[in-house]
Coordinates of all heavy atoms in Angstrom, one line a residue:
K1 N 2.2 -28.5 27.6 CA 1.0 -28.9 28.1 C 0.6 -28.0 29.2 O 1.4 -27.3 29.8 CB 1.0 -30.4 28.7 CG 2.1 -30.6 29.7 CD 2.2 -32.1 30.0 CE 3.3 -32.4 31.1 NZ 3.4 -33.8 31.4
A2 N -0.7 -27.9 29.4 CA -1.3 -27.0 30.5 C -2.3 -27.7 31.3 O -3.0 -28.6 30.7 CB -1.9 -25.7 29.8
R3 N -2.5 -27.3 32.5 CA -3.5 -28.0 33.3 C -4.8 -27.2 33.2 O -4.9 -26.1 33.8 CB -3.0 -28.0 34.8 CG -3.9 -28.7 35.8 CD -4.0 -30.2 35.5 NE -2.7 -30.9 35.7 CZ -2.3 -31.3 37.0 NH1 -3.1 -31.1 38.0 NH2 -1.1 -31.9 37.1
G4 N -5.7 -27.7 32.5 CA -7.0 -27.1 32.3 C -7.1 -26.2 31.1 O -6.1 -25.8 30.4
R5 N -8.4 -25.9 30.7 CA -8.7 -25.2 29.5 C -8.1 -23.8 29.5 O -7.5 -23.3 28.5 CB -10.2 -25.2 29.2 CG -10.7 -24.5 28.0 CD -10.3 -25.2 26.7 NE -11.1 -24.9 25.6 CZ -11.1 -25.4 24.4 NH1 -10.2 -26.4 24.2 NH2 -11.9 -25.1 23.5
K6 N -8.4 -23.0 30.5 CA -8.0 -21.6 30.6 C -6.5 -21.5 30.5 O -6.0 -20.7 29.7 CB -8.5 -21.0 31.9 CG -8.1 -19.5 32.0 CD -8.6 -18.8 33.2 CE -8.2 -17.3 33.2 NZ -6.8 -17.1 33.1
A7 N -5.8 -22.4 31.1 CA -4.3 -22.4 31.1 C -3.8 -22.6 29.7 O -2.8 -22.0 29.2 CB -3.7 -23.3 32.1
S8 N -4.5 -23.5 29.0 CA -4.1 -23.8 27.6 C -4.3 -22.7 26.7 O -3.5 -22.4 25.8 CB -4.8 -25.1 27.1 OG -6.1 -24.9 26.9
L9 N -5.4 -22.0 26.8 CA -5.7 -20.8 26.0 C -4.7 -19.6 26.4 O -4.3 -18.9 25.5 CB -7.1 -20.3 26.2 CG -8.2 -21.3 25.7 CD1 -9.6 -20.7 26.0 CD2 -8.0 -21.6 24.2
D10 N -4.4 -19.5 27.7 CA -3.4 -18.6 28.1 C -2.0 -18.8 27.4 O -1.3 -17.9 27.0 CB -3.2 -18.6 29.6 CG -4.3 -18.1 30.4 OD1 -5.2 -17.4 29.8 OD2 -4.4 -18.3 31.6
A11 N -1.7 -20.1 27.2 CA -0.4 -20.4 26.6 C -0.4 -20.0 25.1 O 0.6 -19.5 24.6 CB -0.2 -22.0 26.7
L12 N -1.6 -20.1 24.4 CA -1.6 -19.7 23.1 C -1.4 -18.2 23.0 O -0.7 -17.7 22.1 CB -3.0 -20.0 22.4 CG -3.5 -21.4 22.5 CD1 -4.7 -21.6 21.6 CD2 -2.4 -22.4 22.0
M13 N -2.1 -17.4 23.9 CA -1.9 -16.0 24.0 C -0.4 -15.6 24.2 O 0.1 -14.6 23.7 CB -2.8 -15.4 25.0 CG -4.3 -15.4 24.7 SD -5.3 -14.6 26.0 CE -4.5 -13.0 26.1
E14 N 0.2 -16.3 25.1 CA 1.6 -16.0 25.5 C 2.5 -16.2 24.3 O 3.4 -15.4 24.1 CB 2.1 -16.9 26.7 CG 3.4 -16.5 27.2 CD 3.6 -15.1 27.6 OE1 2.6 -14.5 28.0 OE2 4.7 -14.5 27.5
H15 N 2.3 -17.2 23.5 CA 3.1 -17.4 22.3 C 2.9 -16.3 21.3 O 3.8 -15.8 20.7 CB 2.8 -18.7 21.6 CG 3.4 -19.9 22.4 ND1 4.8 -20.1 22.4 CD2 2.8 -20.9 23.1 CE1 5.0 -21.2 23.1 NE2 3.9 -21.7 23.5
M16 N 1.6 -15.8 21.2 CA 1.4 -14.6 20.4 C 2.1 -13.4 20.9 O 2.7 -12.6 20.2 CB -0.1 -14.4 20.3 CG -0.5 -13.2 19.4 SD -2.3 -12.9 19.3 CE -2.3 -11.6 18.1
R17 N 2.0 -13.2 22.2 CA 2.7 -12.1 22.8 C 4.2 -12.0 22.6 O 4.8 -11.0 22.3 CB 2.4 -12.1 24.3 CG 2.6 -10.7 25.1 CD 2.6 -10.9 26.6 NE 1.5 -11.7 27.0 CZ 0.2 -11.3 27.3 NH1 0.0 -10.0 27.1 NH2 -0.7 -12.1 27.7
Q18 N 4.8 -13.2 22.6 CA 6.2 -13.3 22.4 C 6.7 -13.1 21.0 O 7.8 -12.6 20.7 CB 6.7 -14.7 22.9 CG 6.6 -14.9 24.4 CD 7.0 -16.3 24.8 OE1 7.3 -17.1 24.0 NE2 6.8 -16.5 26.1
T19 N 5.9 -13.6 20.0 CA 6.4 -13.6 18.6 C 5.6 -12.8 17.6 O 6.1 -12.6 16.5 CB 6.4 -15.1 18.1 OG1 5.1 -15.6 18.1 CG2 7.3 -15.9 19.0
A20 N 4.5 -12.3 17.9 CA 3.7 -11.5 16.9 C 4.4 -10.2 16.6 O 4.9 -9.5 17.4 CB 2.3 -11.2 17.5
T21 N 4.3 -9.9 15.3 CA 4.9 -8.7 14.8 C 3.8 -7.6 14.7 O 2.9 -7.7 14.0 CB 5.5 -8.9 13.4 OG1 6.4 -9.9 13.4 CG2 6.1 -7.6 12.8
D22 N 4.0 -6.6 15.6 CA 3.0 -5.5 15.6 C 1.6 -5.9 15.6 O 0.8 -5.6 14.7 CB 3.3 -4.5 14.4 CG 2.7 -3.1 14.6 OD1 2.2 -2.9 15.7 OD2 2.7 -2.4 13.6
P23 N 1.2 -6.7 16.6 CA -0.2 -7.3 16.6 C -1.3 -6.3 16.5 O -2.4 -6.7 15.9 CB -0.2 -8.0 18.0 CG 0.8 -7.4 18.8 CD 1.9 -6.9 17.9
K24 N -1.2 -5.1 17.0 CA -2.3 -4.1 16.9 C -2.6 -3.7 15.5 O -3.7 -3.2 15.2 CB -1.9 -2.9 17.7 CG -1.9 -3.1 19.2 CD -1.6 -1.8 20.0 CE -1.8 -2.0 21.5 NZ -0.9 -3.1 22.0
E25 N -1.7 -4.0 14.5 CA -2.0 -3.7 13.1 C -2.3 -4.9 12.3 O -2.4 -4.9 11.1 CB -0.7 -3.0 12.5 CG -0.4 -1.6 13.1 CD -1.6 -0.7 13.0 OE1 -2.2 -0.6 11.9 OE2 -2.0 0.0 14.0
Q26 N -2.5 -6.1 13.0 CA -2.7 -7.3 12.3 C -4.2 -7.7 12.2 O -5.0 -7.4 13.1 CB -2.0 -8.5 13.0 CG -0.5 -8.5 12.8 CD 0.0 -9.9 13.1 OE1 -0.6 -10.9 12.8 NE2 1.2 -10.0 13.7
T27 N -4.5 -8.5 11.2 CA -5.7 -9.3 11.2 C -5.3 -10.7 11.7 O -4.4 -11.3 11.1 CB -6.3 -9.4 9.8 OG1 -6.8 -8.1 9.4 CG2 -7.5 -10.4 9.8
I28 N -5.9 -11.2 12.8 CA -5.6 -12.5 13.2 C -6.8 -13.4 12.9 O -7.9 -13.0 12.8 CB -5.3 -12.5 14.7 CG1 -6.6 -12.2 15.6 CG2 -4.2 -11.6 15.1 CD1 -6.4 -12.4 17.0
Y29 N -6.5 -14.7 12.7 CA -7.5 -15.7 12.4 C -7.6 -16.7 13.6 O -6.6 -17.1 14.2 CB -7.2 -16.5 11.2 CG -7.4 -15.8 9.8 CD1 -7.8 -14.5 9.8 CD2 -7.3 -16.5 8.6 CE1 -8.0 -13.8 8.6 CE2 -7.5 -15.9 7.4 CZ -7.9 -14.5 7.4 OH -8.1 -13.9 6.2
I30 N -8.8 -17.1 14.0 CA -9.0 -18.1 15.0 C -10.0 -19.1 14.5 O -11.1 -18.7 14.0 CB -9.6 -17.4 16.3 CG1 -8.7 -16.3 16.8 CG2 -9.7 -18.5 17.4 CD1 -9.2 -15.6 18.0
S31 N -9.6 -20.4 14.5 CA -10.6 -21.4 14.1 C -10.9 -22.3 15.3 O -10.1 -22.3 16.3 CB -10.0 -22.2 13.0 OG -8.8 -22.8 13.3
H32 N -12.0 -23.0 15.3 CA -12.5 -23.7 16.4 C -13.3 -24.9 16.0 O -13.9 -25.0 14.9 CB -13.4 -22.8 17.3 CG -14.6 -22.3 16.6 ND1 -15.8 -23.1 16.7 CD2 -14.9 -21.3 15.8 CE1 -16.8 -22.5 16.0 NE2 -16.2 -21.4 15.4
G33 N -13.4 -25.9 17.0 CA -14.2 -27.1 16.8 C -15.5 -27.0 17.5 O -15.7 -27.7 18.5
D34 N -16.4 -26.2 16.9 CA -17.8 -26.0 17.4 C -17.8 -25.5 18.9 O -18.5 -26.0 19.7 CB -18.5 -27.3 17.3 CG -20.0 -27.1 17.4 OD1 -20.5 -26.0 17.0 OD2 -20.8 -28.1 17.7
C35 N -17.0 -24.5 19.1 CA -17.1 -23.8 20.4 C -17.0 -22.3 20.2 O -16.1 -21.6 20.8 CB -15.9 -24.3 21.3 SG -14.3 -24.3 20.6
E36 N -17.9 -21.8 19.4 CA -17.8 -20.4 18.9 C -17.9 -19.4 20.0 O -17.2 -18.4 20.0 CB -18.9 -20.1 17.8 CG -18.7 -18.8 17.2 CD -19.7 -18.6 16.0 OE1 -20.6 -19.5 15.8 OE2 -19.5 -17.7 15.2
D37 N -18.8 -19.6 21.0 CA -19.0 -18.6 22.0 C -17.7 -18.5 22.9 O -17.3 -17.4 23.2 CB -20.2 -19.0 22.9 CG -21.5 -18.9 22.2 OD1 -21.6 -18.2 21.2 OD2 -22.5 -19.5 22.7
E38 N -17.1 -19.6 23.2 CA -15.9 -19.6 23.9 C -14.8 -18.8 23.2 O -14.0 -18.0 23.7 CB -15.4 -21.0 24.2 CG -14.2 -21.1 25.0 CD -13.7 -22.5 25.3 OE1 -14.0 -23.4 24.4 OE2 -13.1 -22.8 26.3
V39 N -14.7 -19.1 21.9 CA -13.7 -18.4 21.0 C -13.9 -16.9 20.9 O -13.0 -16.1 20.9 CB -13.6 -19.1 19.6 CG1 -12.9 -18.2 18.6 CG2 -12.9 -20.4 19.7
K40 N -15.2 -16.5 20.9 CA -15.5 -15.1 20.9 C -15.0 -14.4 22.2 O -14.5 -13.3 22.1 CB -17.0 -14.8 20.7 CG -17.4 -15.1 19.3 CD -18.9 -14.8 19.1 CE -19.4 -15.1 17.7 NZ -20.9 -14.9 17.5
E41 N -15.1 -15.1 23.3 CA -14.6 -14.5 24.6 C -13.1 -14.5 24.6 O -12.5 -13.6 25.1 CB -15.2 -15.4 25.7 CG -16.6 -15.2 26.0 CD -17.0 -13.8 26.3 OE1 -16.3 -13.1 27.1 OE2 -18.0 -13.3 25.7
F42 N -12.5 -15.6 24.0 CA -11.1 -15.6 23.8 C -10.5 -14.5 23.0 O -9.5 -13.8 23.4 CB -10.7 -17.0 23.2 CG -9.2 -17.2 23.0 CD1 -8.3 -17.0 24.1 CD2 -8.7 -17.8 21.8 CE1 -7.0 -17.3 23.9 CE2 -7.4 -18.0 21.7 CZ -6.5 -17.8 22.7
A43 N -11.2 -14.2 21.9 CA -10.8 -13.0 21.1 C -10.9 -11.7 21.9 O -10.0 -10.8 21.7 CB -11.7 -13.0 19.8
K44 N -11.9 -11.6 22.7 CA -12.0 -10.3 23.5 C -10.8 -10.2 24.5 O -10.3 -9.1 24.7 CB -13.3 -10.4 24.3 CG -14.6 -10.2 23.5 CD -15.8 -10.3 24.4 CE -17.1 -10.1 23.6 NZ -18.3 -10.2 24.4
R45 N -10.4 -11.3 25.0 CA -9.3 -11.3 25.9 C -8.0 -10.9 25.2 O -7.2 -10.1 25.7 CB -9.0 -12.7 26.5 CG -10.1 -13.1 27.6 CD -9.8 -14.5 28.2 NE -8.4 -14.6 28.6 CZ -7.7 -15.7 28.7 NH1 -8.3 -16.9 28.3 NH2 -6.5 -15.7 29.2
I46 N -7.8 -11.4 24.0 CA -6.6 -11.1 23.2 C -6.7 -9.6 22.8 O -5.7 -8.9 22.9 CB -6.6 -11.9 21.9 CG1 -6.4 -13.4 22.2 CG2 -5.4 -11.5 21.0 CD1 -6.5 -14.3 21.0
K47 N -7.8 -9.1 22.4 CA -8.0 -7.7 22.1 C -7.6 -6.8 23.3 O -6.9 -5.8 23.1 CB -9.5 -7.5 21.7 CG -9.8 -6.0 21.4 CD -9.2 -5.5 20.1 CE -9.7 -4.1 19.8 NZ -9.0 -3.6 18.6

């Protein structure tokens, strides 16, 4: 669990950082529950 939205998204990124295989060569998928603008910003952070 995380306190607040940003911390929860940070946690998702951290799990990706720890386990992703060669992320710079990957296509990643992100799905959302009607919060597309927020997810686009999230994708920019991951990039």
Side-chain angles (χ1 to χ4, degrees):
K1 57 187 178 181
R3 184 68 64 86
R5 180 69 158 185
K6 183 180 183 301
S8 66
L9 296 179
D10 288 346
L12 305 190
M13 287 181 57
E14 185 57 30
H15 284 293
M16 182 179 182
R17 197 189 316 272
Q18 291 175 2
T19 60
T21 303
D22 199 7
K24 290 182 173 59
E25 295 302 316
Q26 281 201 44
T27 295
I28 66 169
Y29 283 7
I30 307 177
S31 58
H32 65 90
D34 200 24
C35 50
E36 187 172 12
D37 290 342
E38 182 183 30
V39 162
K40 287 180 177 177
E41 289 302 314
F42 182 46
K44 288 179 182 178
R45 287 179 55 204
I46 299 173
K47 175 71 171 177

